[in-house]
Amino acid sequence: MTVRAILHYPDPRLRKKAQPVAVVDDGIRRLVDDMAETMYQAPGIGLAAIQIDVPQRIVVIDCSAQHNDLKVFINPVITRREGVYGIEEGCLSVPGIFEEVQRAQTVAVEALGRDGQPFTLIAQDLLAVCIQHEIDHLDGKVFVDYLSRLKQQRIRKKLEKQQRLAM
Ligand code: NI
């Protein structure tokens, strides 16, 4: 397993629309394992493949307190949304920024697992937020997009400055 480099906002590669995975083969499983390794090492609770510059519809999430409940979603689709729920979100691609976003409180999601088998999951609260946040990434969307234009500008400037300093 390899820890991959994570793209940082406002990198335009985060805006790509990810393509569906055609076959869940060993190459995809290796990618999933790298994504999990990268997420745990960061550390974070969710990662979409697009964040490591792979525009495929794959998400890994682990919202558990013990970091021992890895969930893998390949070609995920939200089929139901209910309620309203908001928490301060962060993102491995937007380091140091935490802002509240309004999401659905409960979602039903259909996806393929690491084994290629389809499953349906009903998620609430933090896990539901995480699923919505990560699936947004697959459509080229970042949580910052939900904030006011002023906040978006401030975040963009702050991160561009950080990236210049990091070079
Ligand atoms: Ni994110």
Side-chain angles (χ1 to χ4, degrees), residues 1-4 28-40 47 52 60:
M1 285 190 274
T2 314
V3 171
R4 310 273 198 105
I28 293 294
R29 276 186 277 275
R30 269 196 297 277
L31 173 60
V32 164
D33 295 344
D34 284 359
M35 286 172 62
E37 187 82 353
T38 304
M39 174 184 74
Y40 285 125
L47 187 78
I52 56 165
V60 294

Side-chain angles (χ1 to χ4, degrees), residues 15 20-21 31-32 51 54 64 73 82 96 136 141 146 156:
R15 297 304 183 183
V21 172
L31 173 60
V32 164
Q51 291 178 273
V54 177
S64 68
F73 302 87
E82 273 169 28
D136 272 355
K141 219 167 171 185
Y146 293 100
R156 176 181 286 262

Side-chain angles (χ1 to χ4, degrees), residues 10 13 18 29 32 129 131 140:
R13 289 172 289 181
R29 276 186 277 275
V32 164
V129 165
I131 288 168

Side-chain angles (χ1 to χ4, degrees), residues 82-143:
E82 273 169 28
V84 180
Y85 188 70
I87 52 168
E88 276 203 346
E89 295 183 23
C91 178
L92 292 176
S93 291
V94 194
I97 306 292
F98 299 91
E99 293 284 350
E100 188 172 324
V101 175
Q102 295 277 295
R103 306 273 191 186
Q105 183 167 25
T106 305
V107 296
V109 60
E110 290 177 9
L112 304 177
R114 190 181 177 282
D115 57 4
Q117 294 302 307
F119 67 93
T120 302
L121 177 75
I122 294 172
Q124 286 185 308
D125 302 340
L126 177 61
L127 180 57
V129 165
C130 218
I131 288 168
Q132 292 169 85
H133 175 120
E134 299 309 331
I135 291 178
D136 272 355
H137 275 300
L138 303 181
D139 295 318
K141 219 167 171 185
V142 182
F143 83 102

